[in-house]
Amino acid sequence: MLCAGRLGGLGSRAAPLWPGRAGSRGLGARIRARGVSTSWFPVGAAFNVKPQGRRLDLFGERRGLFGVPELSAPEGFRVAQENALRKADLLVERVCSVAPGPQTVLIFDELSDSLCRVADLADFVKIAHPEPAFREAAEEACTSIGTAVEKLNTNVELYRSLQKLLADKKLVDSLDPETRRVAELFMFDFEISGIHLDKEKRKRAVDLNVKILDLSNTFLMGTNFPNKIEKHLLPEHIHQNFVVAGNHVIVDGLHAESPDDLVREAAYKIFLYPNAGQLRCLEELLSNRDLLAKLVGYSTYSHRALQGTIAQSPETVMQFLEKLSDKLSERTIRDFEMIRGMKMKLNPQNSELMPWDPPYYSGVIRAERYNIEPSLYCPFFSLGACMEGLNTLFGRLLGITLYAEQPARGEVWCEGVRKLAVVHESEGLLGYIYCDFFQRAGKPHQDCHFTIRGGRLKEDGDYQLPVVVLMLNLPHPSRNLPTLLTPGMMENLFHEMGHAMHSMLGRTRYQHVTGTRCPTDFAEVPSILMEYFANDHRVVSQFARHYQTGQSLPKNMVSRLCESKKVGAAADMQLQVFYAALDQIYHGKHPLTASTTDILRETQEKFYGLPYVPNTAWQLRFSHLVGYGAKYYSYLMSRAVASMVWKECFRRDPFNSTGFRGVSHTEHLISSLLPNEGLATLSHLGAAPLEALILDARVHFAPEGSPFARLWNAFFPWKTVAV
């Protein structure tokens, strides 16, 4: 309930407003604009050079991670969590004694904020900080706060304080839509946590939730652990492609882009070789999720997780996936035939298409068909140039500029981390993005976004600025060479920056629904929409410059690159359908009909088409089973919505800031994503009506006075909000 779902590696706050003022005016009217800073400098230059150190404050006070004073040392996490728990106790006492009204929701949100500010930060530090002491302290904080949250989720007195508000029709009618919706979300979280159970069963629910949290952390860490094999078991000529340590070869990824078939095959079989401990962890995680779901009144965990989403039920999701799979079938077969043909051409002695082949051979086809060699593009995609491209795009569409800012001593966890200030032309400073972009030992090989602090309106009229981290794995710049991105890396950068801008632009009154703390169905829409901009020749041509000569990327190269992205698109989407179906089955009826590996094999054969490789267990690397458990289908849902937004709003002109005007096909879009007659049949399927879905999206994406408000009004003209 209280700590909002975090989306990121995948990814709730403070003081109340005055009673009676909630919803009285547009949000922008109540926020004091943040001024600009003379210490900001251009964003492109900050990413094309190695950091020169912090000579000016080497002897200054150590500020602590993200500027949090307590976190100048690992021991500070204990101080931070104790402070948060003390504040939570006071807020619980306060909300249980206050008369029901808008103030109730504000105090709930402050309670959520006080806990999530520690939990969210710790979630990031426990996997990303290079120092073991910080990681261990952060993990302890996660467990402590997580346990406290689960106890609050089943606190009957706390629940009744909210129930009094929502049971009073006159009071509910007096609430503005945003406040009412946030209150309903808090109530919903109480209900799915088992607040209706007797005392003994509530304690059982808390224990299960705490155990699930612990298992989730363990499983998530295990998805990134490398595997090793004795050196003599691999042909000597491929050793150089891996890390060699003593008598072992260490494999820490799939090496999917390697041109050597044997390297890809070895990496696939070694990296995905089943680890018995990780397998037990996954089985326990799935089993405990099922026990929790049944305890609180659901037939499966998937039914519990999908309550309140667009689809509402696993039956609807599976119909959606099967319908999509049927539509993709012929195109996927053609893609695989095309890829198989290329493999046969280059390796006629071993032409069977295997799961480790499509990424590489699709790239070969792109290079041959469109005369594209990724290495020819890299000099035009320096990291600095790509960041300037994003800066230009955000400026023209949203009136936003990114500025680099020098972090204080101790504020960041690694020297290569850059700090960006996000500044709106009229509202001033919107928030901060910490860019942890460069490779380092022990860093997870995953591009992701983390919420560190959510935005919210504070009692004094100031806006609590959101803080996020973007984590990539790019090569470091050198003295003479900037970081050069492949086209795929550039697209990933745009995707993750979409998450970051979602967090910056939400400007919600309540942190509980800020940024990516929106319904999972919508969480990936901004990031996937950014991929369309990254693949539009008009956008790319604005920033792709040779890092030495300054020459623009030739127009024909831009067009060929963008056109080449269509190669293998159906097979790529079919793979996502397979992942989503596997996720649904794992979280469906228990006990499972077979082992997780046997289910993987059966589902892969049904939904993907390439053979399962014996003695592999890809599911043990499926990190999204933690953050997107029973909801992985939302990637496909978000992709469909983003596609519609692009086609209707930006395909004609990607720089048109009024591109949202005239869109009138939202209902048709949602209908087309769902089985049978779409929205006409949703009532008997149990899905929410369109009006509720639109309101839910509006609360998260375009609250009153937010920078998105004017775009929202054009996008959904029958649901206008104050600008």
Side-chain angles (χ1 to χ4, degrees):
M1 161 206 127
L2 291 169
C3 267
R6 294 183 284 279
L7 299 175
L10 41 158
S12 325
R13 283 48 326 174
L17 294 171
W18 296 277
R21 290 188 59 188
S24 60
R25 290 181 287 162
L27 184 60
R30 299 195 299 274
I31 299 176
R32 292 196 287 270
R34 305 289 182 113
V36 298
S37 168
T38 56
S39 66
W40 292 335
F41 51 96
V43 68
F47 287 89
N48 269 356
V49 296
K50 288 179 71 67
Q52 299 301 306
R54 299 177 176 84
R55 294 186 295 273
L56 295 179
D57 64 352
L58 284 176
F59 303 101
E61 182 183 358
R62 189 177 176 88
R63 289 208 16 210
L65 292 173
F66 300 102
V68 178
E70 297 92 337
L71 300 184
S72 58
E75 298 76 23
F77 270 105
R78 182 173 295 277
V79 176
Q81 73 190 45
E82 288 174 352
N83 289 342
L85 293 174
R86 276 196 297 271
K87 183 174 182 180
D89 288 341
L90 292 173
L91 289 168
V92 169
E93 183 179 341
R94 181 180 171 195
V95 78
C96 291
S97 60
V98 73
Q103 190 78 355
T104 304
V105 184
L106 294 164
I107 299 172
F108 262 80
D109 194 63
E110 184 176 359
L111 175 57
S112 177
D113 180 65
S114 66
L115 296 169
C116 286
R117 286 178 68 169
V118 177
D120 288 342
L121 194 156
D123 263 346
F124 168 73
V125 172
K126 75 181 181 184
I127 69 166
H129 203 288
E131 296 180 28
F134 266 101
R135 295 197 300 269
E136 291 166 8
E139 187 160 2
E140 289 178 10
C142 282
T143 301
S144 174
I145 297 294
T147 301
V149 167
E150 297 309 333
K151 289 179 179 178
L152 290 172
N153 285 346
T154 54
N155 183 312
V156 174
E157 190 178 3
L158 187 62
Y159 161 74
R160 285 174 179 162
S161 69
L162 186 64
Q163 187 185 42
K164 289 177 185 176
L165 170 64
L166 292 175
D168 189 323
K169 187 178 184 305
K170 187 175 180 180
L171 276 176
V172 170
D173 290 344
S174 71
L175 300 176
D176 63 88
E178 187 178 357
T179 300
R180 185 187 314 126
R181 182 58 181 147
V182 172
E184 290 168 350
L185 289 173
F186 278 124
M187 178 58 74
F188 173 74
D189 289 336
F190 271 125
E191 291 167 350
I192 66 170
S193 297
I195 194 67
H196 56 286
L197 302 174
D198 61 38
K199 184 176 180 180
E200 183 179 339
K201 288 182 179 179
R202 288 199 306 274
K203 183 180 184 305
R204 172 67 174 150
V206 170
D207 292 342
L208 280 170
N209 267 309
V210 171
K211 188 172 184 180
I212 288 168
L213 177 64
D214 184 55
L215 289 167
S216 296
N217 290 336
T218 302
F219 180 77
L220 196 58
M221 298 297 286
T223 60
N224 291 304
F225 286 157
N227 275 343
K228 63 182 181 180
I229 188 173
E230 292 183 15
K231 197 163 56 174
H232 72 273
L233 296 175
L234 285 181
E236 188 172 350
H237 74 275
I238 69 170
H239 288 183
Q240 63 184 359
N241 295 277
F242 307 103
V243 175
V244 178
N247 293 321
H248 289 88
V249 170
I250 298 174
V251 180
D252 60 1
L254 293 174
H255 292 250
E257 303 297 333
S258 172
D260 190 324
D261 285 5
L262 187 57
V263 169
R264 296 196 312 279
E265 179 180 356
Y268 189 95
K269 290 181 175 179
I270 297 168
F271 189 63
L272 299 184
Y273 189 81
N275 175 286
Q278 182 78 340
L279 189 59
R280 284 193 299 273
C281 181
L282 175 59
E283 290 169 348
E284 273 196 78
L285 175 61
L286 297 176
S287 175
N288 279 274
R289 281 177 169 175
D290 181 70
L291 289 172
L292 175 64
K294 288 185 169 68
L295 178 65
V296 299
Y298 295 88
S299 57
T300 70
Y301 182 82
S302 188
H303 282 90
R304 178 180 183 267
L306 294 175
Q307 191 75 17
T309 64
I310 289 178
Q312 288 284 307
S313 75
E315 292 80 14
T316 304
V317 171
M318 286 305 294
Q319 289 178 61
F320 163 63
L321 294 175
E322 288 169 356
K323 179 179 179 181
L324 182 56
S325 184
D326 288 343
K327 288 187 174 182
L328 286 170
S329 179
E330 291 186 8
R331 292 170 55 200
T332 301
I333 290 171
R334 289 199 298 270
D335 278 357
F336 283 151
E337 288 175 348
M338 174 183 65
I339 297 168
R340 187 179 292 108
M342 179 55 72
K343 184 175 184 180
M344 185 177 297
K345 176 181 175 181
L346 298 181
N347 189 0
Q349 288 78 31
N350 184 19
S351 59
E352 182 182 6
L353 191 63
M354 298 300 290
W356 53 79
D357 289 326
Y360 171 69
Y361 284 110
S362 293
V364 173
I365 294 168
R366 292 187 192 101
E368 182 180 272
R369 181 176 296 179
Y370 295 98
N371 192 23
I372 286 175
E373 169 53 50
S375 63
L376 298 177
Y377 284 82
C378 291
F380 294 90
F381 292 141
S382 72
L383 178 55
C386 294
M387 293 302 295
E388 284 294 354
L390 286 162
N391 208 14
T392 299
L393 181 64
F394 295 147
R396 293 176 67 173
L397 286 179
L398 294 162
I400 280 174
T401 303
L402 305 175
Y403 293 99
E405 180 175 307
Q406 183 74 34
R409 181 170 177 259
E411 186 177 350
V412 297
W413 49 100
C414 186
E415 185 183 45
V417 176
R418 272 53 163 193
K419 179 183 180 182
L420 299 182
V422 181
V423 183
H424 187 265
E425 59 189 4
S426 62
E427 296 193 31
L429 181 61
L430 296 183
Y432 290 104
I433 303 170
Y434 289 83
C435 300
D436 187 357
F437 282 177
F438 303 112
Q439 299 165 345
R440 62 175 175 270
K443 184 179 181 181
H445 291 273
Q446 193 171 10
D447 297 343
C448 45
H449 160 277
F450 295 86
T451 296
I452 303 300
R453 183 178 71 198
R456 69 178 182 89
L457 185 62
K458 298 194 292 186
E459 184 175 9
D460 61 5
D462 277 345
Y463 196 79
Q464 177 171 289
L465 298 179
V467 175
V468 303
V469 173
L470 295 188
M471 191 164 72
L472 307 177
N473 278 276
L474 305 177
H476 284 269
S478 66
R479 186 173 297 276
N480 300 315
L481 184 70
T483 295
L484 302 180
L485 277 58
T486 65
M489 290 175 179
M490 182 269 287
E491 182 179 297
N492 286 349
L493 171 63
F494 271 61
H495 177 101
E496 298 303 334
M497 192 58 77
H499 283 308
M501 296 309 294
H502 183 183
S503 294
M504 296 297 111
L505 289 166
R507 305 292 276 179
T508 53
R509 184 187 314 155
Y510 302 102
Q511 63 73 39
H512 192 66
V513 292
T514 191
T516 54
R517 291 171 179 160
C518 63
T520 313
D521 295 308
F522 298 111
E524 295 290 330
V525 172
S527 56
I528 293 173
L529 182 61
M530 286 300 297
E531 294 178 21
Y532 284 91
F533 287 100
N535 290 310
D536 186 275
H537 67 91
R538 295 160 296 183
V539 175
V540 174
S541 63
Q542 293 291 311
F543 68 86
R545 301 280 189 277
H546 197 284
Y547 76 97
Q548 289 176 314
T549 66
Q551 175 194 357
S552 297
L553 183 64
K555 185 176 180 180
N556 65 334
M557 288 182 68
V558 176
S559 298
R560 292 202 309 268
L561 174 64
C562 296
E563 190 67 21
S564 73
K565 297 298 180 71
K566 299 174 183 177
V567 172
D572 289 343
M573 186 170 287
Q574 190 72 58
L575 183 64
Q576 296 301 313
V577 173
F578 156 48
Y579 293 162
L582 184 68
D583 174 44
Q584 286 300 309
I585 295 169
Y586 280 168
H587 291 101
K589 187 176 180 180
H590 276 243
L592 296 173
T593 57
S595 70
T596 59
T597 302
D598 285 341
I599 290 171
L600 170 77
R601 175 179 53 78
E602 294 167 5
T603 309
Q604 183 170 331
E605 290 172 357
K606 177 179 179 181
F607 284 98
Y608 189 42
L610 295 187
Y612 164 76
V613 179
N615 297 314
T616 64
W618 178 85
Q619 75 275 20
L620 303 184
R621 302 290 182 178
F622 193 7
S623 61
H624 285 83
L625 286 174
V626 173
Y628 281 84
K631 295 182 179 181
Y632 192 81
Y633 77 94
S634 62
Y635 271 100
L636 294 163
M637 185 75 77
S638 289
R639 186 162 293 281
V641 175
S643 174
M644 182 273 287
V645 173
W646 174 261
K647 290 175 182 176
E648 296 290 339
C649 308
F650 298 109
R651 184 163 58 181
R652 291 182 181 178
D653 178 6
F655 296 106
N656 179 15
S657 63
T658 60
F660 281 99
R661 290 180 184 164
V663 178
S664 58
H665 304 303
T666 308
E667 183 169 352
H668 172 73
L669 167 79
I670 297 176
S671 297
S672 69
L673 296 176
L674 296 162
N676 303 321
E677 299 304 317
L679 288 171
T681 65
L682 288 187
S683 56
H684 81 264
L685 290 174
L690 177 62
E691 289 291 295
L693 297 175
I694 296 304
L695 174 60
D696 199 49
R698 195 197 87 184
V699 166
H700 293 81
F701 282 93
E704 297 175 358
S706 75
F708 271 162
R710 62 186 176 85
L711 298 180
W712 179 270
N713 291 338
F715 194 49
F716 298 115
W718 66 93
K719 283 283 183 182
T720 57
V721 295
V723 178

